[in-house]
Amino acid sequence: MNPLALISITAFVTATVSGIYIFVKNPESRFNRTLLAFSALVAYLSLTDFGLYISESYGMAALWVRMGFLWPFVVPVILHMVMIFTGRMRRWYTLAALYVPAFIFSVLELTTGLITAGPLLTPWGWTFAASRSPAYDLSTIWGLVVGLIALILVVIHLKSSSSKGRTQGLYLFTGLLLPIITGFLTDFMLPFTGIEVPSLTNPAAAAGVAIIAYGVLRFHIPVLSPINAAMDIVRSMNSFLIITDLEFRISYVNPAAERLTGFSAAELLGRRIDEVMEFEGKLSEMMGSMAESALKSRDGLVPVVVSAGHIHGSGGEHVGLLFTGSDIRPIKEMEQKLKRREERLVLLTEHMADGLGEFDRDFNFRYLSPSVKNITGYSHEHLINRSAIDFLDYVHPDDRENVRDLIMSDEEMHRATFRIKRPDGSYRWVEYVDRPIRRDGGISGYVFGLRDIHEHKLAEEALRVSREKFRELFRNMNAGVIALTPFKGGFRVLSMNPAAEEMEGVVCGDVKGMELEKALPGIAESSIREALEGVTGKDGPLHLPEVKRGERWLEVYIYRLSTGEVVIIYCDITLRKEYEERLRSSLREKEALLREVHHRVKNNFQIISSLINLQLSEIQDPAPLLDLQSRVQSMALVHELLYESEDITSIDMRRYIERLTSSILDSYHAAGIELNVSAKDVTLPIETAVPLGLIINELITNSVKYAFSEGGEITVELESEGDDFILTISDNGVGFPPDFVLEESDSLGLKLVSGLVDQLDGDLEVDMEDGTQFRVRFSVVPYRPRI
């Protein structure tokens, strides 16, 4: 037998059995009835395919081709079932749009050769040959469009379904779409590309019906079984459900009951309901009512609300009991939260600074919080049951009429600010506001709030006075003040005081709101405009000490306020600049004069040194004169350095010490002595430098004359330590005798050193180990006026 004939007869049997099975499962379902019709159509077409494949003559094959004229109904029936399953079949004319074209194509197939030309013998047996005509093309396009619509509806429904519904629906939709896809491939796509294959649409449709039947058997597809749907509802519901027999023994529990109790169904079945749930009174008295109870779980009692009722049999007799309810732990927790919130509200009301109260509709006090006494000075007992009209006696006479009119007005909400008289006779400002209490569509009273605003009122008055003072200061200050408001791209003029108007030659009212560039071009073209962009307000005001505008000089402060506005405050400092220039000119003249004085003093010291040179040749012992000449030169060097320095008030001590010590070594021809000088970044005024230079001169001269027989090393260090300075002069010479005492020495030089150290208010230390070291700690000698 032809294998395709065997496949066709198998498809016939499969479609018939599957369709009947699905229909029997739920005969009332419209979907099941439509699926039965589809199964019958597939079985019929499979039977025609079988007859075609076993035909032995052209005539017999032509008969079976004509018998397959119902094939155009396959795709519309599939779309019909998809629309029923997805809930989109709502109008009768939708069916007409589906089946009228199918009916027309079936008639053409039965009566003409416009769609199918006739039988065709192929290697796999007889089949049909397509007619290359507009009718065939139109039927093909129509079938593709209907199939595509079914495919789109399937995809949309699967995307919107839950995971469980998607798993169940895949069986159904696979069965429906299998013939569409197979027919598209074997009847259109492959022949269009030149590949001839037998038509497998009907076997695919039969396989699809079998897939649906398997889905019904395994997954109980909801649309096919209302009973299964009801069971799914019971299993998925959040409320627990327990069924017992008439002896109150549990015969069924749903998953929600298992979750709440923590016990499995196997552990609960057969137990009495009162072993699982607590009841007040008899179980029989609960029937038909709802009450609070508690489920006994592994973790303790679970509060629930439960209703109980009878389950009736087909004859109306009682066959069991049904207990269903919900977990009310969230409700209990909410009740606790509400209770705590109410307690907090009472606590807040009792202790808040503002007073709270309640009037009835006639404005009689019904409730007053304790804080009302703090505000008014009157106790709860004094005010309760009094009316607001009586309370007007405690209102300041100037405010009384306004408060009375407010109370008597028809407005639903009243707000007022007035002064209230306290028991001690003083008045305090209070703010009053109320809102209506509505019941049964009417106003049953008012709830009101009372706030002490006395300090606020005083602050308002102080602020008003302060504002008036500020306005007066703003109008009368000599400095110009301009307030600007920023906008995208620049600034606009907000206000100006009269001083600024006079400086700029404008009136504030004429330029208010204008852009800065147009309103005040003088400021916009100066460096003030660039500075406006850089002010942030975080680091304080931006200060421009000197701004040149024409012939005038200005000192400018720019502030950015917390509100965003920018304020420019500027003063005309032209006269100050002139005075400063005169002062600088005078200072330069005095500085030049002082330099000349230092130069002449240095020259006078040089003259004295020259005179000493002339005298040296006439005496036998030149040593005293050489010492005197060295001292004179140390003082002359101070004035020389001051004359050469840009700063005529202080001396660079490193440069001074290097020149002084070099001069001393040259004077005594001490070529074998190495000198090291260290005095980094130390400058001293003349009052300190002169005695310090004399000290250095005496100690270096002493080392050169007495410390070395051949050669040696002298070190001079000057360093700062806080506010003090330390001068250290050391040599590696022979040192002093062991019995030498500085205070008992007859040396003029050492006596001079001691006196100069005292002049510096310093301390002198001598270390005679390994040579000699003199260490002088001193501070800067303050300037003392000589005249």
Side-chain angles (χ1 to χ4, degrees):
M1 180 182 289
N2 189 331
L4 292 178
L6 184 59
I7 292 174
S8 297
I9 197 64
T10 303
F12 166 79
V13 175
T14 301
T16 302
V17 173
S18 299
I20 294 173
Y21 169 77
I22 294 172
F23 178 74
V24 170
K25 277 290 184 180
N26 189 2
E28 302 299 325
S29 171
R30 185 172 55 159
F31 177 85
N32 286 18
R33 293 196 297 268
T34 307
L35 187 57
L36 178 63
F38 177 70
S39 302
L41 179 61
V42 171
Y44 171 77
L45 293 176
S46 298
L47 189 59
T48 60
D49 286 346
F50 173 78
L52 183 62
Y53 290 135
I54 64 174
S55 296
E56 297 180 352
S57 63
Y58 181 87
M60 182 63 70
L63 176 62
W64 285 111
V65 168
R66 286 288 178 261
M67 292 298 291
F69 70 97
L70 293 179
W71 68 264
F73 284 92
V74 173
V75 179
V77 173
I78 291 176
L79 180 56
H80 187 183
M81 288 187 293
V82 169
M83 294 177 71
I84 291 175
F85 187 82
T86 59
R88 299 177 182 274
M89 179 58 69
R90 298 184 179 91
R91 298 290 186 270
W92 64 268
Y93 48 78
T94 305
L95 293 176
L98 286 176
Y99 291 111
V100 168
F103 178 79
I104 293 173
F105 291 132
S106 295
V107 171
L108 291 175
E109 179 71 17
L110 182 62
T111 59
T112 70
L114 295 176
I115 297 177
T116 301
L120 179 67
L121 186 62
T122 63
W124 56 83
W126 290 99
T127 185
F128 58 87
S131 176
R132 299 302 179 183
S133 66
Y136 173 80
D137 295 334
L138 186 61
S139 66
T140 302
I141 293 172
W142 171 79
L144 291 175
V145 170
V146 174
L148 183 60
I149 293 173
L151 181 62
I152 293 172
L153 293 179
V154 167
V155 173
I156 293 174
H157 187 76
L158 287 178
K159 284 186 176 181
S160 61
S161 299
S162 63
S163 59
K164 182 178 180 182
R166 192 177 298 116
T167 303
Q168 296 173 342
L170 281 174
Y171 280 89
L172 178 65
F173 291 130
T174 302
L176 295 178
L177 295 182
L178 189 59
I180 295 177
I181 298 172
T182 305
F184 175 76
L185 291 174
T186 61
D187 295 349
F188 176 75
M189 191 65 191
L190 294 177
F192 182 80
T193 59
I195 301 174
E196 294 294 338
V197 295
S199 176
L200 298 177
T201 303
N202 294 329
V209 175
I211 291 172
I212 296 173
Y214 177 74
V216 173
L217 176 64
R218 181 177 179 184
F219 288 99
H220 303 291
I221 298 176
V223 75
L224 302 179
S225 176
I227 296 176
N228 292 334
M231 290 304 298
D232 279 345
I233 293 173
V234 170
R235 285 191 293 268
S236 62
M237 63 191 296
N238 291 324
S239 300
F240 70 86
L241 184 143
I242 301 175
I243 298 176
T244 71
D245 58 19
L246 294 178
E247 300 297 326
F248 297 104
R249 296 198 175 276
I250 299 173
S251 59
Y252 174 80
V253 293
N254 70 339
E258 295 181 76
R259 288 195 301 270
L260 284 177
T261 61
F263 297 107
S264 65
E267 294 174 297
L268 295 174
L269 294 180
R271 298 172 63 180
R272 284 180 57 86
I273 187 66
D274 52 5
E275 296 178 16
V276 179
M277 189 180 304
E278 288 189 344
F279 295 98
E280 293 183 3
K282 296 180 179 180
L283 287 175
S284 57
E285 296 175 355
M286 283 197 59
M287 295 302 105
S289 64
M290 179 177 292
E292 285 192 21
S293 181
L295 281 176
K296 299 176 182 178
S297 71
R298 291 187 186 274
D299 300 326
L301 296 178
V302 178
V304 295
V305 58
V306 61
S307 62
H310 289 96
I311 301 175
H312 298 86
S314 58
E317 72 280 8
H318 293 169
V319 297
L321 300 170
L322 177 67
F323 296 87
T324 182
S326 302
D327 181 1
I328 59 172
R329 281 179 295 183
I331 298 176
K332 289 290 186 180
E333 291 175 1
M334 184 61 68
E335 288 178 352
Q336 291 297 322
K337 289 181 180 178
L338 289 175
K339 183 178 179 181
R340 290 194 296 269
R341 185 174 298 175
E342 183 179 355
E343 292 173 352
R344 287 196 297 268
L345 182 60
V346 171
L347 186 64
L348 178 64
T349 303
E350 297 294 328
H351 294 87
M352 68 186 302
D354 290 353
L356 294 178
E358 184 181 341
F359 289 126
D360 60 19
R361 61 183 304 166
D362 297 323
F363 286 96
N364 294 315
F365 292 110
R366 287 196 303 214
Y367 168 76
L368 293 169
S369 68
S371 50
V372 171
K373 180 179 179 181
N374 299 331
I375 297 173
T376 65
Y378 300 102
S379 65
H380 177 274
E381 294 76 12
H382 183 80
L383 296 176
I384 201 68
N385 294 326
R386 288 176 178 264
S387 70
I389 302 300
D390 297 335
F391 193 71
L392 288 175
D393 295 337
Y394 302 100
V395 176
H396 193 283
D398 295 342
D399 305 329
R400 193 172 297 160
E401 199 61 34
N402 292 335
V403 175
R404 184 193 305 274
D405 294 341
L406 182 70
I407 294 175
M408 302 305 295
S409 67
D410 296 332
E411 298 180 2
E412 290 192 354
M413 186 181 73
H414 308 94
R415 182 186 293 273
T417 301
F418 54 88
R419 286 161 289 182
I420 189 171
K421 185 178 181 180
R422 293 173 60 87
D424 60 2
S426 64
Y427 284 94
R428 291 189 71 84
W429 282 97
V430 297
E431 182 182 44
Y432 168 88
V433 61
D434 65 28
R435 292 184 181 275
I437 302 173
R438 297 187 177 276
R439 288 177 185 161
D440 301 327
I443 297 176
S444 62
Y446 292 86
V447 60
F448 70 86
L450 197 66
R451 174 174 295 179
D452 187 337
I453 60 169
H454 190 72
E455 302 300 332
H456 179 70
K457 274 289 188 179
L458 296 181
E460 278 186 350
E461 181 62 22
L463 180 60
R464 185 189 63 80
V465 173
S466 176
R467 286 175 176 171
E468 289 297 326
K469 291 181 179 178
F470 171 75
R471 291 191 186 98
E472 198 67 24
L473 177 63
F474 183 73
R475 287 192 294 266
N476 295 303
M477 66 188 302
N478 293 325
V481 181
I482 302 174
L484 305 174
T485 180
F487 74 101
K488 188 176 182 180
F491 297 87
R492 298 186 189 277
V493 177
L494 188 61
S495 62
M496 300 171 62
N497 72 338
E501 291 178 334
E502 183 179 353
M503 290 183 189
E504 301 300 328
V506 297
V507 177
C508 180
D510 296 338
V511 299
K512 186 175 182 179
M514 293 177 58
E515 295 184 19
L516 180 64
E517 283 73 12
K518 295 180 180 179
L520 305 172
I523 289 182
E525 294 170 1
S526 68
S527 58
I528 300 176
R529 178 64 180 84
E530 182 179 352
L532 286 173
E533 301 291 345
V535 65
T536 62
K538 295 180 179 179
D539 303 321
L542 182 63
H543 182 211
L544 305 178
E546 296 178 354
V547 176
K548 187 77 164 64
R549 280 187 57 191
E551 299 297 325
R552 292 192 299 177
W553 286 91
L554 304 175
E555 182 180 12
V556 183
Y557 288 88
I558 304 176
Y559 300 81
R560 182 176 289 274
L561 306 180
S562 59
T563 55
E565 288 86 358
V566 177
V567 177
I568 304 173
I569 301 178
Y570 58 104
C571 302
D572 190 333
I573 59 170
T574 304
L575 290 178
R576 191 181 79 185
K577 286 288 291 183
E578 293 176 358
Y579 293 148
E580 288 178 353
E581 185 57 35
R582 293 175 189 173
L583 184 61
R584 277 193 288 269
S585 177
S586 175
L587 185 61
R588 285 193 294 270
E589 293 176 1
K590 290 179 174 57
E591 192 175 289
L593 179 61
L594 189 57
R595 287 182 186 277
E596 183 62 24
V597 169
H598 284 300
H599 182 61
R600 295 192 180 190
V601 170
K602 185 265 296 184
N603 289 340
N604 290 336
F605 278 124
Q606 293 290 357
I607 291 172
I608 294 172
S609 178
S610 298
L611 291 175
I612 291 173
N613 273 334
L614 294 175
Q615 192 68 29
L616 286 174
S617 60
E618 299 179 2
I619 61 175
Q620 294 181 355
D621 185 9
L625 287 180
L626 286 175
D627 293 342
L628 177 62
Q629 187 182 42
S630 177
R631 293 164 186 151
V632 170
Q633 287 177 346
S634 71
M635 292 186 289
L637 183 58
V638 170
H639 291 278
E640 181 180 355
L641 291 175
L642 287 174
Y643 173 74
E644 296 174 355
S645 174
E646 293 183 1
D647 181 7
I648 62 174
T649 62
S650 59
I651 296 174
D652 181 355
M653 291 305 296
R654 177 181 177 84
R655 183 182 176 197
Y656 174 60
I657 293 172
E658 287 176 346
R659 291 181 62 176
L660 176 61
T661 53
S662 177
S663 174
I664 294 171
L665 294 180
D666 290 343
S667 298
Y668 286 94
H669 306 289
I673 298 175
E674 182 181 350
L675 184 65
N676 299 317
V677 178
S678 174
K680 294 182 180 179
D681 301 325
V682 177
T683 58
L684 294 175
I686 185 173
E687 287 82 0
T688 304
V690 170
L692 193 65
L694 290 172
I695 292 172
I696 295 171
N697 177 77
E698 293 301 324
L699 295 178
I700 296 295
T701 300
N702 190 62
S703 293
V704 170
K705 291 169 62 178
Y706 305 112
F708 307 104
S709 58
E710 294 181 358
E713 181 180 354
I714 300 175
T715 301
V716 182
E717 295 181 354
L718 180 60
E719 56 186 353
S720 60
E721 190 176 278
D723 294 332
D724 293 341
F725 295 88
I726 300 174
L727 172 66
T728 304
I729 299 176
S730 59
D731 62 56
N732 58 356
V734 297
F736 287 98
D739 57 348
F740 175 79
V741 179
L742 179 65
E743 290 77 7
E744 299 176 358
S745 174
D746 295 332
S747 170
L748 176 61
L750 293 179
K751 289 182 178 179
L752 182 61
V753 168
S754 296
L756 291 171
V757 169
D758 291 339
Q759 182 180 336
L760 292 174
D761 293 332
D763 297 321
L764 175 62
E765 297 177 2
V766 181
D767 184 359
M768 293 182 289
E769 294 183 3
D770 298 328
T772 306
Q773 182 187 78
F774 290 87
R775 182 181 177 87
V776 181
R777 178 183 288 272
F778 65 95
S779 57
V780 174
V781 178
Y783 173 76
R784 298 183 180 91
R786 272 71 171 176
I787 298 177

